[in-house]
Amino acid sequence: MDEKPILSIVVPVYNEEENVRLLFEKIRVVCETMGETYEVIFVDDGSRDGTFTVLSELSKQFIQLVVIRFEKNAGQTAAMAAGFEFARGQRIVSMDGDLQNDPNDIPKLLGRLDEGYDLVCGWRKERQDKFLTRRVPSIVANWIIGKVTGVPIHDNGCSLKAYRASVIKQVPLYGEMHRFIPAMSTVVGARIAEIVVTHHPRRFGQSKYGLGRIWRVALDIVAFKFIVSVFAPLSRTQKPSPWQRLSNVLFKPTQRIFRAAALFSFPFFVLGRVLFGSTKIAALSCFGLAIILLVLGWVTENKIRRAKQELTELDTLARFFIFRYNRRPIRFFGPIGVLLFVLGGILSIAPLYSFFFKVFNIAEIPNLSPVLITSGILVFCFGLFGELIAFANAQRVKDYTVEIFLNMNK
Ligand code: UDP
Ligand code: MG
C-alpha cells in the first residue's frame, strides 16, 4: 500500500476479540460505499485475549488493515496517539473498538469536516450505558469541562471524532488526555464542530473503566486548566488578543510561573497566621514556600525550554512524571497532596487533634496540622509543575511509549 490513503480510521483495542472482525467489516462496507481510498489502523493496546490473532488473520486478507501492537497495555491515550502518528491520511477518524460507535456515522462526520472544521466531535445523545454510574458522571463532567476549558462540547468522552490530520498531529496527548482532545486542540487553534451520533450498548467484552475514572477525570480538569494557563497564550496559530499580546511582552512564561508561585504563597501567609498564631512564623513559612515554588517554577521552565529544543532523550525528571503504573499514568499532585491537605484540615479542629493522638496513643506533636496542610499543598504544586513537564514532553512521551512497545506486522 504505497499510495497515500485519503482517510485513516484509528481504533484502539484492548481485549476486544469478539468485536474486531465485526467492526472491521462494518468500517469496510462504509468506506467502500463512500468510494474513498482508506486505511483502518487497529492499535492493539497489549491485549491478552485473541484480539491480535484475529487482527493478524484479517490483515492477511485485507491490504487496508494496518495493525500496531503494543507489547504491554499502555492505555487508550497512548494507543490513539500512536494511531494518529502512523496515520497516512489527510483526514483521520477515531472510534472505539467495542462496536458501541457506529461506522455509519463516519460520512456525516467527514461531511462536517469538509465544511472547514479541524475537529468534528460525536455526541452520544442517546447514550446506551448505565444511567447512574456512567451517564450521570459523564453529564456532570462534561458540564464542568465546558465551564473550565471554555469549550462547551456535550460529550468529550465520545471517541468517535473526525480530524484534519495536520491539526490532530500537533495536539500533545499524554496521560489520559484523550478525553480532553477538544479542549487540547484549541491550544493549536482548532475549529471545532459537534454532531449527534448513534450509540449502541456493548454486546461483547467488558468496559475497561470503573468508577475510579471520576477521580482521575477531576484531576485531569485541574491539570488541564493549569497547563493551558501557561501554554495557551504561547500558541502560534491562535490569534492573540491585544491584551494577550501586551501580556506576552510584559511577562515571559517564566515570569508567569513565578507570578503564580508568588500568588500561591500569599494564602500561605494567611494560613500560617491563623494556624501558627504568629506573624513572624507566618512570614517565614510564606517566604520559604515562595522560595521553594520559585525554584520549582525555574526548574520547570528550564525543562519546558529544553523539551521544545527537540532533545531526543527524555531526561530523568521527565520520565519520572510520565511514569505509569498498570496502564494508569501516575498523578503526583493527586492523591498524596489531597490526602495530606485534608488530614491537616481535619486535625486543625482542636478536639479532633487531641482525639487523634489519644487514639494512636502517642505524644502530641506541635503544629502537626499546618505542617500537613503545607506539605499537602507543596506536593500538589510539585505535581502540577510536573504536569507541565509532561505536557511539554508529550510528543516525546508518545515516542517513548511507542518505541518501547511498538511492533508492527507490516
Ligand atoms: N481501550 C484501550 N486501552 C485501554 C482501555 C481501553 O485501547 O487501556 C480501548 C477499548 O478496547 C475500547 C476503547 O478503548 O475500544 C474504549 O474503552 P471502553 O469501551 O472500555 O470504554 P467505555 O466505552 O466504557 O467508556
Ligand atoms: Mg465502550
Side-chain angles (χ1 to χ4, degrees), residues 248-305:
N248 282 349
V249 176
L250 290 181
F251 310 106
K252 293 213 171 81
T254 344
Q255 285 154 326
R256 232 177 270 137
I257 296 173
F258 284 4
R259 247 184 330 161
L263 273 178
F264 269 128
S265 56
F266 179 70
F268 273 102
F269 178 76
V270 179
L271 191 80
R273 183 70 193 78
V274 172
L275 292 174
F276 293 100
S278 141
T279 313
K280 222 188 269 168
I281 298 181
L284 264 177
S285 73
C286 156
F287 184 68
L289 264 162
I291 300 276
I292 295 174
L293 289 170
L294 282 175
V295 171
L296 271 180
W298 181 75
V299 170
T300 312
E301 217 269 327
N302 271 330
K303 294 286 159 206
I304 294 171
R305 210 188 45 235

Side-chain angles (χ1 to χ4, degrees), residues 12 97 102 135 157 251 304 356 386:
D102 196 327
R135 295 182 55 189
F251 310 106
I304 294 171
F356 178 83

Side-chain angles (χ1 to χ4, degrees), residues 18-19 22 26 98-100 200-206:
E18 292 131 308
N19 292 315
L22 278 167
K26 285 186 174 207
D98 57 358
L99 293 169
Q100 290 199 267
H200 303 290
R202 211 185 227 278
R203 279 198 291 160
F204 310 108
Q206 284 165 357

Side-chain angles (χ1 to χ4, degrees), residues 16-254:
E16 307 282 4
E17 59 182 355
E18 292 131 308
N19 292 315
V20 282
R21 184 182 290 272
L22 278 167
L23 178 62
F24 179 71
E25 273 309 320
K26 285 186 174 207
I27 295 176
R28 205 167 72 86
V29 170
V30 171
C31 291
E32 299 287 341
T33 317
M34 284 194 297
E36 298 204 22
T37 31
Y38 66 96
E39 65 180 353
V40 184
I41 305 175
F42 272 92
V43 187
D44 174 15
D45 184 14
S47 297
R48 281 181 226 168
D49 63 354
T51 303
F52 185 69
T53 320
V54 179
L55 286 175
S56 349
E57 273 164 25
L58 271 176
S59 78
K60 281 179 207 136
Q61 240 176 309
F62 298 100
I63 194 164
Q64 298 89 341
L65 177 61
V66 177
V67 184
I68 297 173
R69 183 190 199 184
F70 290 179
E71 274 169 21
K72 279 189 211 157
N73 182 231
Q76 198 178 339
T77 302
M80 285 174 81
F84 293 153
E85 174 144 319
F86 282 84
R88 286 167 289 181
Q90 293 125 14
R91 297 178 301 169
I92 302 176
V93 168
S94 67
M95 62 194 298
D96 280 350
D98 57 358
L99 293 169
Q100 290 199 267
N101 296 137
D102 196 327
N104 287 314
D105 287 319
I106 294 175
K108 255 198 306 181
L109 287 165
L110 293 176
R112 238 22 238 283
L113 200 68
D114 293 340
E115 284 172 22
Y117 291 99
D118 300 310
L119 167 59
V120 183
C121 305
W123 169 17
R124 299 164 292 178
K125 203 171 177 182
E126 316 260 311
R127 190 168 166 182
Q128 305 295 322
D129 280 321
K130 281 194 193 113
F131 185 73
L132 220 57
T133 51
R134 308 297 302 277
R135 295 182 55 189
V136 171
S138 151
I139 290 167
V140 175
N142 279 304
W143 184 81
I144 298 173
I145 293 171
K147 289 282 163 227
V148 170
T149 64
V151 185
I153 295 288
H154 283 96
D155 192 2
N156 285 276
C158 178
S159 307
L160 184 56
K161 291 188 174 83
Y163 318 83
R164 195 166 307 286
S166 55
V167 174
I168 189 65
K169 281 175 193 260
Q170 287 180 51
V171 176
L173 291 176
Y174 76 98
E176 294 188 283
M177 288 296 184
H178 66 274
R179 302 194 186 98
F180 289 81
I181 287 179
M184 278 289 183
S185 59
T186 58
V187 175
V188 296
R191 286 153 298 182
I192 305 171
E194 181 180 45
I195 60 171
V196 173
V197 295
T198 319
H199 194 238
H200 303 290
R202 211 185 227 278
R203 279 198 291 160
F204 310 108
Q206 284 165 357
S207 169
K208 309 300 178 297
Y209 304 102
L211 284 175
R213 142 165 71 185
I214 295 175
W215 162 250
R216 297 199 308 279
V217 169
L219 291 180
D220 275 335
I221 294 174
V222 178
F224 176 86
K225 191 68 193 169
F226 190 61
I227 286 165
V228 165
S229 67
V230 174
F231 281 89
L234 307 177
S235 97
R236 274 161 281 124
T237 37
Q238 216 174 25
K239 274 210 189 89
S241 66
W243 160 244
Q244 268 176 349
R245 222 173 291 153
L246 183 71
S247 114
N248 282 349
V249 176
L250 290 181
F251 310 106
K252 293 213 171 81
T254 344

